[in-house]
Amino acid sequence: MSTRLDTTSGVGDPVAQPDDLDPRLLCPTGRTERLRVVVEHYSPTAGRCPGCGWPVARRQECPSRQVALALLENRPLPVRLAHLADVVPGARAGRDSAADRDRRRDELDAMPGLFAAPARTPEQGDAR
């Protein structure tokens, strides 16, 4: 008798789509709105999220809550939600490369300000 999983049955974890997310996450929102999403989609037990009705096995699994937390903490989306990075404003997937960080810093340094910004020193390990 074999104990292999049947991958042809099509039964698996549901994949979150943009329609499954809280609509407030699909438009540019502020910190307060994101915090509301986190609170409203907090599921104290397994079952269904009280905010969106998403089936959750553990209380942290609601996709709206995970996206809102990632935006609040300025970190990439979890791997299972990375496909939503193009839909949610401000969301990103994966780690930033050094070139992305340098480009973002250069853009920030080029912005006008009250005082001239001090010259940045290269990060440890950068060879410029």
Side-chain angles (χ1 to χ4, degrees):
M1 185 189 239
S2 173
T3 58
R4 280 184 26 193
L5 293 175
D6 183 16
T7 57
T8 60
S9 65
V11 177
D13 292 334
V15 177
Q17 299 301 318
D19 296 341
D20 298 329
L21 294 178
D22 191 302
R24 293 173 286 190
L25 296 173
L26 300 178
C27 59
T29 59
R31 184 172 176 80
T32 303
E33 283 300 312
R34 292 176 187 158
L35 284 171
R36 284 185 186 151
V37 170
V38 170
V39 170
E40 291 172 9
H41 290 266
Y42 176 76
S43 178
T45 60
R48 295 212 173 262
C49 172
C52 62
W54 185 264
V56 293
R58 295 185 312 261
R59 61 184 178 185
Q60 296 89 0
E61 289 184 352
C62 173
S64 293
R65 184 174 190 276
Q66 287 184 336
V67 169
L69 280 173
L71 292 171
L72 282 170
E73 296 171 359
N74 195 23
R75 60 181 167 85
L77 292 177
V79 173
R80 69 183 196 94
L81 299 173
H83 64 280
L84 298 172
D86 295 334
V87 180
V88 178
R92 57 190 173 87
R95 296 187 64 176
D96 292 340
S97 67
D100 292 337
R101 289 192 304 270
D102 287 342
R103 181 185 44 79
R104 195 172 328 119
R105 285 182 187 142
D106 291 341
E107 289 172 0
L108 288 173
D109 287 345
M111 293 176 66
L114 292 175
F115 306 102
R120 287 192 188 265
T121 58
E123 289 184 14
Q124 186 177 10
D126 282 353
R128 281 193 172 184

